[in-house]
Each structure stands twice: as structure tokens, then as C-alpha cells.
Amino acid sequence: MIHKQLKDFPKDFLWGASTSAYQVEGANLIDGKGPSCQDVKEIPEGTSDLTVCADHYHHYAQDIALMAEMGFKTYRFSIAWTRLIPEGTGAINPLGVEFYNNLINECLKHNIEPLVTMFHFDMPAALDNRGSWSNPESVDWFVNFAKVMYENFGDRVKYWLTINEQNMLTLVGPVIGTLHVPDGCTNLMKEIYQQNHHMLVAQAKAMALCHEMIPGAKIGPAPNISLVYSASCKPEDTLAAQNANALRSWLYLDMAVYGVYNNLVWSFLEENDACPTFAPGDEEALKSGHPDFIGFNYYNTSTVKWTDGNTQLTGNQDQQTTRGETGFFEGVDNPNLLKTEFGWEIDPMGFRATVREMYSRYRLPMIVTENGLGAYDKLTEDGKVHDNYRIEYLRKHIEQVQLAISDGCEMMGYCPWSAIDLISTHEGMVKRYGFIFVDREEFDLKTLKRYRKDSFYWYKKVIATNGNDLTD
Ligand code: BGP
């Protein structure tokens, strides 16, 4: 659709940016924090561990002041389960409560709305030892964690996100260091989708509890959603794309919004003897969630073709590169798209297409909880970072958000990844995303001083003009 006149961004549009606790905070085992699965995982070779990260734990006030300088309306961060409840269940860590109180209060002091992710890839190690999400008790562990957060922070936090990228936890768990495989497991797919089922039930219960405990609060899921294209106009490739979209995205949103399993995914699981077992009450619990909005991360689309089932394929390579599933779909490169330095395709127009599709399926307001460009930024001798490539990437994506709004889609906000440089899921510190540069290298912590990148000044202007001026 070509619009003669574009609609403005809504007046109360939530401009901001995102981080996650285990990637930004550091201080991973101090002040009472227990280890999470991220702290005990095997760190990918050549990349930093998670002991210091951007040291946001000790620099949060300065970091939030910089976000306020950019004009942020919201800051999306996650609460580390093990900072609040070191063993995952049981005793609460008072210093953990204090830290998040300080962080939330600091945001509010600057009129920044806290947008809190409850779970971002960091299962308590103590619960990993008890089976992680494969243990049916994991539902209660998570709901208890939610309750502790609502009790302590619900008076001030009005926007909540449940589980970050549950679809990536399920599809690429080994890449992000979260997959727990119990001893003696003989059907890995069944095991993974049982864990996924427990997360879905936990999420639905946490959403219902939020509405019960915090009147007026809004809560939603935060999967990674992006359209999967058909490699050609062959009918069989279209079927493959439908399969891939269902397995990658619609499973998670059909469940969060309608409380039902996507039929294509359910058939695929049946074919593989991998259907999850429902505990008594699960069916009702799944239908009781009712999100107020959809949070979603978007980096790029993917493309697939038909597969006749003779090629052996297993899952994705990382969050954004789709390999395929035997007999369901096979991932291919999209020759129409350029790639980032880290090999992720760049597709701003696919962003608009994704938003349009989501809105027509679910009719809920949407907030972008991640979008961004990982790159090898360089600090110049005079303390500058000329990241025009990032400005270009973000500009093209924000333009598409406005086009989607003009298409009639309801968008609440835009929070790119990331507010500040932090550690990547599996590619270390050198893969930077932030508006704020952190002076450290992969293994040399240097000064940890903060520098404003060129994108910092650009984003400040974007926010000040409510998205009307996207020029450099
Ligand atoms: C998403 C995760 C984030 C983040 C981002 C960039 O999948 O939610 O935690 O890291 O991707 O990915 P990466 O760090 O692999 O470049």
C-alpha cells in the first residue's frame, strides 16, 4: 500500500531501548546473587565470561542518566531470578530487592517507564540441577518468582514481559546456553517441547496472577517474531513457509493470546512422537493468560523451501539463521537481502510485513522489544564512535514502523537492542549494539567508561521529534 499521507507516531509512544540482566549487569556472583545457567555454562571460545559485562550493576545511575539524556520514555531491562532468589526458590536476597528498587526508582526519577522482562535466558543453576523446565514443578517455581516480583515492584512497575524469546529457548537452546537435557533422554524433540509446554503454562499463570495482584498493570509475551518467506512461488514452497512460520512464531503467539496449540505444530509433533503431556488443569491455565499487548523482538526474516524429507535437517543455527526440520521446511539464503558483519540478513521491509501479519492475527497493541545491528564499533582517539551503519539500520526500521502504523497497526513503542554495549549471547563483547559505548574489550576490562556514539545523538533527535525527523 502506498500512503499519500503517513500517520504520526502516537503521542505517548514508548521510545526506549533494551538490555538483559545477565548480559549487562556483571556482578554475577556478588551481593548474594546465586549462579544462573549462564554463569555455569561453557563460555564460547574467544569470548568473555559474564562476571563484569558492562558493569551496569555499579553504573546503573550513570547509565540511566544517559538514557534520560537521550529522552527515553521507557527502559526495558530484565530482573535476574538469582539476584532476587539465589536458589530459584526459597529465601529472598534483600540486596537483590534493593538493587532493583534502586534501578526502578532511578528510572522513575527521570520519568522513564520501567518495562521489566521477568525471564531472559537465566534459569537459576540450582533449579537446573533439579531438571530446569523439564521438571513439572518449574511452573510453580516461575509463578512464585513472578509473585515475589509483583509484591516487591508492582507498586511502581506497570509494564511486564514474561519470557524473552521463548521460541529461541526452544529452537536454539544450545546456542544461548540454556538447553537442559536430562540423563536418559531418548526423544530430544519430545523433551524440548515438554519443557516448552511448561514455559507456556508458567507464562499463562504469571499473566493471570499479574492481573490479579496489580490492578492496571499490563503484561505480554516477548518472543522473537519475524516472517518466514517462501523461496519461490511454487505451491510446495508456500506450504513449507507456512510450516516454518507456525513452528517459529505462531505456536508461541497462538498460545499466549488464544491458549491453544497451533494445529500445524501439533501435527508436526504428533509425527515425531513429540507431543507434550498436559497435567490436570493445564488446558484451563493456558486459556487464562490474556496478554494486554504483544512484545516482540525482530532482527530479520528468513526464507525456506520445500523438503521431501530425504535431507536430514535439525533446527536453527542461531537466533536468525534457519536450517530447517526434516520433512517440514528447509532454510535457504534470501538473495535479495544484504547481511550484517555477523551474517544476519537485514530486512526492514520484512519488519512492516511482520507487524501487519501479527496484527491481523492477534489484534493486540504491539511493542518492539528488540531490533538492532551488531557491529565491530571503534572508539576514536578523541572519544567518538562513528556508527553511521547503525543509524542507517535503525532509520530504515523505524520508517517501516511508521508505515505499519499508517497501515492501521497499533504500535505502542520501540525498544531497540541495546541501550548500552553488552555481551552478546554467543559472540562476545566485540559484537556491539548499544547507543552508549563501553570502554572494554573482550578480555581487557580497561576503564569501563561510557561514551556517546553518533547513534546516541541521532536517537535523541528521533525521540525529541517523536519520530518525525530521522535524518542524521
Ligand atoms: C536476542 C536476545 C538478546 C540479544 C540479541 C542479539 O535473541 O534476546 O539477548 O543478545 O538477540 O543477539 P546476539 O547477542 O546473539 O547478537
Side-chain angles (χ1 to χ4, degrees):
M1 192 178 342
I2 296 179
H3 295 284
K4 291 195 195 77
Q5 177 75 45
L6 291 184
K7 290 191 183 126
D8 284 337
F9 286 89
K11 279 200 179 52
D12 52 357
F13 194 72
L14 292 169
W15 296 100
S18 301
T19 63
S20 89
Y22 88 91
Q23 294 172 280
V24 76
E25 283 179 7
N28 68 334
L29 296 177
I30 70 162
D31 286 352
K33 183 180 171 295
S36 78
C37 63
Q38 297 295 340
D39 301 313
V40 298
K41 77 178 181 187
E42 199 179 315
I43 301 292
E45 209 189 323
T47 69
S48 164
D49 65 22
L50 300 154
T51 51
V52 177
C53 301
D55 203 25
H56 188 54
Y57 187 76
H58 296 111
H59 293 73
Y60 72 90
Q62 183 192 355
D63 294 343
I64 291 169
L66 285 165
M67 295 177 206
E69 191 183 321
M70 273 186 275
F72 278 24
K73 312 289 181 208
T74 190
Y75 170 37
R76 177 199 176 214
F77 58 89
S78 76
I79 289 185
W81 189 337
T82 53
R83 198 177 291 290
L84 206 55
I85 312 174
E87 300 281 309
T89 59
I92 296 173
N93 172 26
L95 291 178
V97 177
E98 187 183 320
F99 172 69
Y100 291 112
N101 271 332
N102 290 343
L103 189 66
I104 291 164
N105 293 341
E106 200 65 26
C107 287
L108 295 173
K109 187 174 110 189
H110 291 286
N111 292 321
I112 295 175
E113 193 70 56
L115 170 60
V116 171
T117 315
M118 300 161 72
F119 182 76
H120 196 123
F121 300 164
D122 54 355
M123 179 58 104
L127 298 183
D128 242 2
N129 294 336
R130 293 165 65 188
S132 189
W133 290 108
S134 67
N135 187 335
E137 286 177 35
S138 57
V139 174
D140 292 340
W141 301 337
F142 185 75
V143 175
N144 173 63
F145 169 46
K147 183 164 168 273
V148 172
M149 284 186 281
Y150 300 155
E151 275 166 357
N152 284 281
F153 313 120
D155 58 332
R156 285 152 294 151
V157 175
K158 298 299 171 201
Y159 289 92
W160 297 87
L161 296 159
T162 54
I163 299 178
N164 178 69
E165 294 197 351
Q166 188 185 323
N167 50 343
M168 294 305 134
L169 287 171
T170 299
L171 296 166
V172 292
V175 177
I176 43 188
T178 52
L179 179 64
H180 176 97
V181 185
D183 293 342
C185 167
T186 51
N187 182 340
L188 186 59
M189 189 184 286
K190 188 174 173 65
E191 171 58 36
I192 287 175
Y193 281 90
Q194 187 65 50
Q195 296 186 15
N196 186 58
H197 179 79
H198 293 147
M199 279 187 256
L200 292 169
V201 176
Q203 164 173 271
K205 289 190 171 182
M207 291 197 290
L209 186 66
C210 179
H211 292 132
E212 199 182 302
M213 289 182 62
I214 324 177
K218 293 186 189 306
I219 187 161
N224 179 318
I225 303 294
S226 57
L227 277 190
V228 183
Y229 299 141
S230 166
S232 78
C233 53
K234 284 186 201 154
E236 55 267 42
D237 286 347
T238 303
L239 291 175
Q242 288 179 330
N243 292 341
N245 275 303
L247 193 70
R248 190 193 185 290
S249 297
W250 310 143
L251 160 62
Y252 300 89
L253 289 178
D254 287 0
M255 222 5 143
V257 180
Y258 304 128
V260 292
Y261 268 97
N262 177 282
N263 59 296
L264 297 181
V265 175
W266 192 261
S267 306
F268 170 71
L269 296 178
E270 276 176 340
E271 288 290 328
N272 288 281
D273 184 25
C275 288
T277 306
F278 276 57
D282 280 4
E283 205 173 321
E284 299 72 39
L286 288 166
K287 292 215 166 78
S288 71
H290 307 304
D292 303 286
F293 62 88
I294 293 173
F296 74 103
N297 300 348
Y298 174 90
Y299 288 89
N300 54 254
T301 51
S302 45
T303 306
V304 298
K305 64 176 187 179
W306 178 254
T307 157
D308 60 11
N310 290 325
T311 323
Q312 281 303 311
L313 304 158
T314 42
N316 290 5
Q317 280 160 281
D318 72 6
Q319 300 102 302
Q320 299 309 137
T321 37
T322 304
R323 189 181 289 149
E325 289 291 349
T326 303
F328 210 43
F329 60 86
E330 181 175 346
V332 294
D333 277 353
N334 184 335
N336 304 298
L337 302 176
L338 297 174
K339 290 185 177 171
T340 71
E341 287 177 307
F342 288 84
W344 288 10
E345 287 171 347
I346 303 175
D347 186 7
M349 214 180 274
F351 195 16
R352 178 184 181 188
T354 299
V355 170
R356 287 156 60 121
E357 184 65 25
M358 258 198 294
Y359 195 62
S360 70
R361 291 179 68 97
Y362 304 108
R363 291 290 171 144
L364 283 172
M366 291 163 282
I367 179 165
V368 181
T369 41
E370 286 182 33
N371 170 234
L373 178 75
Y376 295 99
D377 295 340
K378 287 280 160 292
L379 183 69
T380 61
E381 275 179 14
D382 56 348
K384 305 266 189 299
V385 179
H386 301 304
D387 58 342
N388 54 312
Y389 37 86
R390 179 166 297 108
I391 294 174
E392 191 61 14
Y393 178 101
L394 294 172
R395 181 192 1 255
K396 287 190 168 152
H397 284 79
I398 294 174
E399 279 168 3
Q400 298 295 324
V401 175
Q402 190 174 11
L403 284 162
I405 291 172
S406 304
D407 294 333
C409 304
E410 214 177 326
M411 296 296 293
M412 289 164 53
Y414 179 71
C415 295
W417 188 261
S418 50
I420 183 166
D421 288 344
L422 39 68
I423 309 271
S424 145
T425 57
H426 61 290
E427 296 181 281
M429 187 69 205
V430 292
K431 190 182 190 186
R432 294 174 185 266
Y433 285 87
F435 293 107
I436 302 163
F437 184 91
V438 177
D439 182 33
R440 63 159 285 184
E441 285 167 9
E442 205 63 63
F443 299 106
D444 181 354
L445 293 177
K446 299 178 85 181
T447 65
L448 291 170
K449 213 178 136 192
R450 276 58 175 149
Y451 291 88
R452 296 164 182 82
K453 300 185 190 177
D454 287 356
S455 58
F456 178 105
Y457 298 105
W458 171 80
Y459 196 42
K460 180 178 174 174
K461 191 176 62 174
V462 170
I463 298 176
T465 61
N466 198 27
N468 277 327
D469 186 354
L470 302 181
T471 59
D472 318 28

